[in-house]
Amino acid sequence: MSIVEIIQHNEVIYTILDKPPPEPPKTPRYQSQLEKQLKEMKIPKQRRTFGYAETPLNPPDNFLKKGEGIGQPIKTSDHKCFVSGNLPPVPKRSAMPKKQEKPKVNFRVLNIKKAIKTKPKPLEPRLVDTRDGHIKKIKGSGEVPEYCLRKDFGQMPAYLVKRNRKIQRDLDRIKYAEEHKESLCKLINEQERQALLKDLKYNWQLMQKAFLQLPMLTDTIPKILKKTKMEQELRQLEKDIALVESNPYIYVYD
């Protein structure tokens, strides 16, 4: 085992951890190779200023005259009208019609005639009911009977008369419909009766034939039910046939 003796050093054990870590080196910035060439080729623009320090003014004798200002732009058109010599002549102006003379009216005579024919305004009856001369109209005051003297006094109002007429028309219409209503029962003639009887007998024959074709042994419930149903239908057909044969007049109710 060897021993190393350190005599000169600046390192202190207490300050080793206080130092910050070293910063990483920065990458070099990108710089275009053509930048210098472009700067050399660029020509600065001449006469670029902020304008006049003082705006130059025109002399007094050079004032703005009429028509020299900025006006509306004149619209120009490229259209050209080529006039030929075959156009008809311009029609002459017709003579002005003479004004009709107004008839002379004597307004004095007209006013006199109107004044003669005018009827005077009817006097409205009034009533003085106090000594101080308080005047009120008699009409509507209740002093004179008015309502009982009206033409329609004691008569039925027009709207009730109209309503009663409408109700009466509806009742007459219902009564007429009941009187002229067709009967719901219809009498069938002899041909229809014979055709009905023939159809019933034909149905009875078909049912009788199907009934005779049933098996003799009815040992299951479906066979029993079918036989019972066919027997009921046969009885009903026999009743219908007897009813049609015994009654010559048959009514059908719809």
Side-chain angles (χ1 to χ4, degrees):
M1 183 177 180
S2 61
I3 298 172
V4 178
E5 184 178 357
I6 300 173
I7 299 172
Q8 294 180 359
H9 59 84
N10 297 326
E11 191 176 23
V12 182
I13 192 172
Y14 299 105
T15 59
I16 292 175
L17 299 177
D18 295 341
K19 292 181 180 180
E23 294 182 0
K26 293 183 179 180
T27 57
R29 192 182 68 170
Y30 171 77
Q31 190 172 6
S32 177
Q33 298 178 1
L34 302 175
E35 186 177 359
K36 294 181 180 180
Q37 298 179 9
L38 292 173
K39 286 182 179 180
E40 292 176 356
M41 293 172 60
K42 189 175 181 181
I43 301 173
K45 292 184 178 180
Q46 303 295 333
R47 300 179 182 177
R48 177 169 288 186
T49 62
F50 289 101
Y52 296 102
E54 294 181 1
T55 304
L57 301 176
N58 296 330
D61 57 349
N62 191 13
F63 58 89
L64 185 65
K65 300 177 180 62
K66 184 178 180 181
E68 293 182 356
I70 300 173
Q72 295 291 336
I74 300 172
K75 295 181 180 179
T76 58
S77 177
D78 298 335
H79 176 70
K80 294 182 180 180
C81 182
F82 299 97
V83 181
S84 62
N86 299 327
L87 295 176
V90 179
K92 295 182 179 180
R93 185 178 180 183
S94 60
M96 295 294 292
K98 294 182 179 180
K99 294 183 179 180
Q100 296 181 359
E101 295 182 358
K102 294 183 179 180
K104 296 181 179 180
V105 181
N106 193 348
F107 292 100
R108 292 183 179 180
V109 177
L110 288 178
N111 292 338
I112 292 170
K113 290 181 179 180
K114 287 182 181 179
I116 294 171
K117 294 180 180 180
T118 302
K119 294 182 180 180
K121 186 178 180 181
L123 296 176
E124 190 174 4
R126 295 182 295 176
L127 176 67
V128 180
D129 56 352
T130 61
R131 64 179 183 178
D132 298 331
H134 179 261
I135 299 172
K136 67 177 181 179
K137 298 178 182 179
I138 294 179
K139 185 178 180 180
S141 63
E143 301 291 341
V144 180
E146 296 179 11
Y147 185 72
C148 61
L149 300 178
R150 290 172 56 180
K151 294 182 180 180
D152 57 349
F153 178 74
Q155 297 181 3
M156 188 178 294
Y159 74 94
L160 288 178
V161 175
K162 186 177 180 181
R163 180 182 176 86
N164 292 339
R165 288 177 182 173
K166 184 179 179 182
I167 293 172
Q168 188 63 33
R169 284 197 300 269
D170 295 341
L171 293 175
D172 295 342
R173 193 183 301 110
I174 294 170
K175 185 177 180 181
Y176 179 81
E178 290 180 354
E179 290 178 355
H180 296 78
K181 184 171 62 175
E182 295 182 359
S183 178
L184 298 177
C185 296
K186 180 182 177 182
L187 177 65
I188 61 175
N189 52 21
E190 186 63 25
Q191 295 179 358
E192 293 177 350
R193 178 173 168 275
Q194 293 296 333
L196 177 62
L197 185 61
K198 183 178 179 181
D199 293 340
L200 288 173
K201 289 182 178 180
Y202 180 73
N203 291 338
W204 182 85
Q205 291 177 2
L206 295 178
M207 187 64 66
Q208 182 69 17
K209 184 178 180 180
F211 181 76
L212 294 175
Q213 291 177 356
L214 290 175
M216 298 295 294
L217 184 62
T218 54
D219 53 350
T220 58
I221 294 176
K223 291 181 180 180
I224 296 172
L225 294 176
K226 186 175 181 180
K227 184 178 180 181
T228 306
K229 183 180 179 181
M230 293 183 73
E231 288 176 351
Q232 292 177 358
E233 291 178 356
L234 282 170
R235 291 195 200 96
Q236 186 64 35
L237 285 172
E238 290 173 358
K239 289 181 181 179
D240 295 341
I241 292 170
L243 181 64
V244 174
E245 288 179 346
S246 60
N247 296 303
Y249 302 103
I250 298 175
Y251 288 90
V252 179
Y253 183 79
D254 294 336

